[in-house]
Amino acid sequence: MNPRTLPFIITGAALAAPICYAAPAPAKVGTLPAPVAEAVVKGDYAAAEKALINALSGMDVTPDNREALKMAMLLDVIRTTDANVLTGMCADKDVKKFLQQFAADYQWQELYLGCGLVPYHKETGIRVMYDIWKAEKAAVRDKRLAVALASCWGGGETAPDPDVAKKDPARFNPVRRYKFFCKQAAEGKLHPDFPRLRPWELRFVVSITGQDWDDASYEYLAKRVNVPYDQYGEAYGVMNYVGRSKFGDSVHNGTFFYQPFPDMSIAEVTVKTGGVCGSQSHLGAIAAMAHGIPGYTCGQPGHCAYGVRPGRKNWMDGIADYDTHEPNGVMHNYIFSNQAPTSTHLMETVFGNDATIDKAYREAFCARALDACGKYEEARKMWEQALTTSPFHAFFRRDYHKMRMAHGMTPQECYDYLCKAIPQYVTHGFAAADMTEDLWPLITKMDDKQKLHICDLLHTMMSGSKFHDAVRCDGVLAKQDSLFTTDEMHGKLLEMVYTRHLSKGDGYAFGQFLEYGVTNYLNKGKEKLFSDAFDAAVAHATKNADLKGTPTKPLRKAYTKSILSVEKSHSIKAFQAICASATKAMGKPKPIALKSTMPGKPVTGECLIETSKSGYYDEPWRHIGMTTPEGGGCFIEGDKRPYVIVELDGGKELTGCIVRKSGNGNDMKKAILSVGTDGKNYTTVGTTDNMPEEWAVTFPKGTRAKFVRIEFDNAEAARSAHLSHFLVFKK
């Protein structure tokens, strides 16, 4: 990959005018009930937890009751960290003192609990905030920043062991990282929005938790890379794209590639040595982050890219794949899941409105407190209120599900709940599928009609959601398929899934679901089940306007991958069905008239095509046209012995064939035409050292074959082969 040039990178101060850093408002400190306060002073958080539950049991626990809300928040802090962990930390008198202050600072607690991922059942998050508190001499300037660092270093219930917490503390230190950002903010060197970022956003500024670079890299890039804020998707251009170091070491051997510079920051070594997409992505993302702009790196198939966010809901790409130019893939920093775009889209929706998410979290604090007090009906209503406020918050749904199942939720109640919940997930269909995971034990107990309806609701939402082929979703269909035990229901599920995703959607999910059907049904002897489901889906879907307009790139990719897979499966019926569907979506090529004639009838409709390779410009849905008088096409490139095979439906008596070139004739001179019955052993029926544009070969009388192959001999170099016709005739 050739990196895009970046002529405006400079060394020195930021290009933007300095901003005035606004420190957070002073914390609102309140008074705890006496039994709770006494337990906190003693450092006995198990006793504090009991005292809180006892006090809340006699109160009206709602967000409007500020005293109850404050106690509900502290109860949530104890729940997430674990009472025994907090009590153990109090063996250190300074930590105990910090915890007393934190227990009374409701604003700080709310920031901490609402940061997205709260360090769960361990001391890491509290320890990070304590270390910052101690370094600041008990007067933390930016509690948002402290919370974000605590979250990144500690992870959460869904990401309990972030890699950053395991790294060398001499090089990866949250206190040093905190001081760096405070200093940059005070000097006006950060993005103007930095003072307004919430902890969930700052998580994407202070660290790439999965694959972080050292503290010195942030400092180096803050000085070395300074560009307009909306250009950090190009910031990687400060380094050279190289696969081998000056000493000849491969970039894939990182131990030696970035030597002999062990005392430099990772960023400086990368700038001096160069690297490929992985290094470019980290450099570009962390350059943005060092200037207060959220960012993340992500893995794509055979590639690494990154995203930067100069404004809410505005994620921009850095060296993303050329088809989408979006920062999609497996994220190395995330809140709800590690799959972009589904994760970023969900995150921005959940947290995008400050007032809404604050309200939802307060309702959630109260719901958990009510459940802890044994007030199930009140807790259920409060959770439903929180989910009305923030319906897509994955962790709220999870906790609500746990509570309902613990209190005996029935399959019918689950069905009724999902019928109302799933349709809310417009544009978030994959989050809806994730949401059902907790309830799977109940879904398996529903009747087949209910199960299929739940699956239909999910795919209706999924087909309208943004997706990408870097994200795997075929596991969703595999799990749904396991709900059913009869071929009839498996067929109905496939038909429904293909109908939904052919009629609507970007094509990425459709491709994976189609591949699933080919692999698990077509290739396992259930051709009729697959073909019937696919035919019915095509009949429904082709009525939709989406298939009558210009095909999207993802839809083209979906058909390409599926047709090539079907060709390898040797299912003629599936090949014909999928190619027919693709032809309706993509359109037929312009007919090409043949000059030659051959006795007999073309085997059109009774065969499939298989090629040795599929080149970049190949359009596999045109393969079927090669077996028709009107013609189609195939594009093979980079092959010393490219071939095309026509596989027939049973051994037929053949009269001959006509092969027509379409492309560079110099790459298709020496050709061998042969026939066979088993696809392995072939008998030559024609050869030429200078194949004409149109080559007609009459077969010996009585020739019976299931396979007809043309092979080009380009032994001196890898060449290409482009055909418009491979028309085989039967008697």
Side-chain angles (χ1 to χ4, degrees):
M1 181 184 299
N2 295 320
R4 289 175 276 187
T5 57
L6 193 60
F8 47 78
I9 288 188
I10 63 170
T11 300
L15 298 181
I19 62 171
C20 296
Y21 175 68
K28 297 177 181 178
V29 180
T31 304
L32 294 168
V36 179
E38 290 171 5
V40 169
V41 169
K42 292 178 181 178
D44 185 347
Y45 281 87
E49 185 175 30
K50 291 180 181 178
L52 284 166
I53 292 173
N54 185 58
L56 288 166
S57 295
M59 299 180 69
D60 179 24
V61 182
T62 66
D64 294 331
N65 186 334
R66 300 301 294 171
E67 291 305 312
L69 178 61
K70 291 174 184 178
M71 285 189 279
M73 281 194 289
L74 180 56
L75 185 62
D76 222 29
V77 170
I78 296 173
R79 177 191 66 86
T80 56
T81 311
D82 189 81
N84 292 331
V85 170
L86 290 169
T87 299
M89 294 181 72
C90 289
D92 183 319
K93 293 182 179 179
D94 283 344
V95 176
K96 183 193 287 188
K97 183 178 179 182
F98 162 73
L99 284 172
Q100 289 177 29
Q101 180 174 325
F102 184 63
D105 192 330
Y106 308 114
Q107 185 190 56
W108 197 350
Q109 291 173 46
E110 188 165 16
L111 290 171
Y112 184 62
L113 294 170
C115 69
L117 284 179
V118 184
Y120 188 75
H121 282 194
K122 57 185 178 181
E123 67 177 69
T124 310
I126 299 295
R127 178 69 63 179
V128 167
M129 292 191 294
Y130 160 72
D131 289 341
I132 292 171
W133 174 84
K134 186 175 181 180
E136 293 264 80
K137 298 180 180 179
V140 178
R141 282 173 288 174
D142 192 337
K143 290 170 182 172
R144 306 165 311 128
L145 190 57
V147 163
L149 286 158
S151 178
C152 284
W153 253 255
E157 188 170 1
T158 59
D161 295 305
D163 291 342
V164 69
K166 303 173 186 176
K167 295 189 175 185
D168 181 3
R171 300 180 62 206
F172 301 84
N173 188 299
V175 176
R176 187 184 301 117
R177 198 76 59 92
Y178 172 85
K179 289 182 176 179
F180 163 77
F181 280 105
C182 284
K183 178 176 179 294
Q184 294 296 103
E187 293 176 1
K189 295 180 179 178
L190 298 180
H191 190 282
D193 281 347
F194 181 82
R196 293 180 287 277
L197 295 180
R198 294 304 238 4
W200 70 271
E201 296 167 291
L202 287 171
R203 293 186 79 262
F204 294 87
V205 172
V206 299
S207 171
I208 300 176
T209 59
Q211 298 185 5
D212 204 29
W213 278 6
D214 53 4
D215 304 325
S217 290
Y218 287 76
E219 296 167 4
Y220 174 82
L221 292 173
K223 296 176 181 178
R224 180 70 178 84
V225 182
N226 292 279
V227 301
Y229 294 129
D230 62 352
Q231 297 297 312
Y232 276 94
E234 307 281 341
Y236 65 89
V238 72
M239 63 172 282
N240 292 323
Y241 185 91
V242 295
R244 288 194 175 275
S245 71
K246 296 178 181 178
F247 305 99
D249 296 305
S250 169
V251 69
H252 299 295
N253 188 344
T255 303
F256 296 102
F257 183 79
Y258 289 113
Q259 299 293 333
F261 309 111
D263 296 328
M264 293 183 182
S265 71
I266 300 174
E268 186 174 0
V269 173
T270 302
V271 169
K272 292 182 182 296
T273 306
V276 292
C277 56
S279 300
Q280 289 179 323
S281 297
H282 282 78
L283 189 144
I286 294 175
M289 293 158 64
H291 291 83
I293 301 170
Y296 64 84
T297 53
C298 59
Q300 296 181 337
H303 183 54
C304 187
Y306 70 99
V308 294
R309 178 179 172 270
R312 279 196 176 179
K313 299 184 180 181
N314 181 26
W315 285 100
M316 301 169 58
D317 79 278
I319 59 170
D321 67 56
Y322 292 123
D323 284 334
T324 64
H325 295 293
E326 294 181 359
N328 298 330
V330 181
M331 299 170 67
H332 301 143
N333 190 12
Y334 58 91
I335 291 178
F336 293 123
S337 79
N338 67 348
Q339 303 286 342
T342 56
S343 181
T344 51
H345 185 37
L346 179 64
M347 177 177 69
E348 293 283 355
T349 301
V350 169
F351 292 99
N353 184 293
D354 293 346
T356 297
I357 193 61
D358 285 348
K359 179 177 183 293
Y361 264 107
R362 289 164 187 166
E363 290 163 347
F365 300 149
C366 292
R368 292 195 188 99
L370 286 164
D371 192 31
C373 293
K375 299 179 179 181
Y376 169 67
E377 283 302 321
E378 291 181 49
R380 182 179 62 78
K381 292 178 182 179
M382 187 60 69
W383 267 127
E384 289 167 0
Q385 188 173 322
L387 290 170
T388 298
T389 305
S390 183
F392 307 123
H393 199 303
F395 304 151
F396 291 177
R397 288 278 177 192
R398 178 204 61 196
D399 288 353
Y400 175 69
H401 295 166
K402 285 182 178 179
M403 185 190 73
R404 289 293 307 272
M405 292 182 74
H407 288 82
M409 189 182 203
T410 67
Q412 184 62 47
E413 288 173 335
C414 179
Y415 175 75
D416 294 339
Y417 161 70
L418 289 175
C419 286
K420 293 179 181 178
I422 294 173
Q424 298 179 60
Y425 282 75
V426 177
T427 74
H428 293 290
F430 296 95
D434 290 340
M435 178 266 288
T436 64
E437 287 291 311
D438 307 319
L439 301 172
W440 207 253
L442 295 176
I443 295 174
T444 60
K445 295 178 181 179
M446 297 176 188
D447 62 45
D448 282 353
K449 184 178 180 181
Q450 290 177 322
K451 292 175 184 176
L452 189 63
H453 183 58
I454 294 300
C455 294
D456 194 4
L457 289 174
L458 287 170
H459 285 281
T460 299
M461 295 298 104
M462 292 167 70
S463 63
S465 301
K466 195 174 183 181
F467 196 59
H468 188 257
D469 60 357
V471 180
R472 295 303 304 181
C473 68
D474 47 353
V476 173
L477 179 53
K479 191 157 189 176
Q480 293 172 347
D481 205 17
S482 71
L483 290 170
F484 304 103
T485 57
T486 67
D487 283 352
E488 179 186 6
M489 293 308 301
H490 292 308
K492 286 184 177 181
L493 176 65
L494 287 184
E495 178 185 339
M496 178 273 293
V497 170
Y498 295 151
T499 300
R500 294 286 173 261
H501 291 274
L502 264 174
S503 300
K504 188 178 181 182
D506 54 21
Y508 287 128
F510 168 71
Q512 291 187 30
F513 295 145
L514 187 54
E515 185 181 3
Y516 174 87
V518 169
T519 301
N520 292 278
Y521 289 98
L522 186 60
N523 293 350
K524 292 185 178 180
K526 295 194 175 183
E527 296 180 10
K528 188 176 188 309
L529 185 154
F530 174 82
S531 297
D532 288 350
F534 190 80
D535 289 346
V538 171
H540 288 298
T542 48
K543 298 176 183 178
N544 188 286
D546 286 357
L547 289 182
K548 298 176 183 177
T550 303
T552 62
K553 284 185 178 180
L555 192 58
R556 293 166 67 93
K557 278 188 175 182
Y559 277 121
T560 294
K561 189 170 184 179
S562 299
I563 291 171
L564 293 176
S565 178
V566 167
E567 288 179 4
K568 298 298 182 184
S569 77
H570 303 285
S571 172
I572 292 173
K573 187 171 183 179
F575 174 78
Q576 294 284 335
I578 292 179
C579 286
S581 168
T583 300
K584 290 177 182 178
M586 306 303 171
K588 290 184 177 181
K590 186 177 180 180
I592 300 173
L594 291 172
K595 300 175 183 178
S596 306
T597 59
M598 185 67 59
K601 299 179 180 179
V603 297
T604 304
E606 306 173 46
C607 60
L608 66 74
I609 292 288
E610 181 182 349
T611 62
S612 57
K613 284 187 176 181
S614 179
Y616 181 78
Y617 296 103
D618 193 27
E619 297 177 331
W621 53 88
R622 295 185 62 199
H623 291 182
I624 193 173
M626 290 193 294
T627 65
T628 69
E630 293 79 15
C634 71
F635 190 107
I636 303 170
E637 60 182 349
D639 197 346
K640 289 185 178 181
R641 297 188 71 87
Y643 65 78
V644 181
I645 296 173
V646 176
E647 181 177 347
L648 308 172
D649 185 10
K652 300 181 183 298
E653 186 172 348
L654 307 178
T655 59
C657 73
I658 301 172
V659 185
R660 186 184 183 281
K661 299 177 181 177
S662 65
N664 185 358
N666 292 327
D667 286 351
M668 294 177 284
K669 287 189 173 182
K670 187 175 182 179
I672 305 101
L673 191 66
S674 55
V675 296
T677 58
D678 59 5
K680 297 179 181 178
N681 302 297
Y682 285 89
T683 301
T684 300
V685 292
T687 62
T688 177
D689 289 330
N690 190 16
M691 179 180 164
E693 180 183 39
E694 200 170 292
W695 187 28
V697 178
T698 301
F699 296 165
K701 188 175 180 179
T703 298
R704 287 185 174 276
K706 181 175 173 59
F707 299 90
V708 183
R709 180 180 71 182
I710 185 168
E711 184 176 26
F712 299 95
D713 186 355
N714 295 319
E716 71 280 2
R719 298 288 182 84
S720 60
H722 313 164
L723 301 179
S724 66
H725 289 76
F726 193 175
L727 191 55
V728 178
F729 292 82
K730 65 179 180 178
K731 187 174 180 179

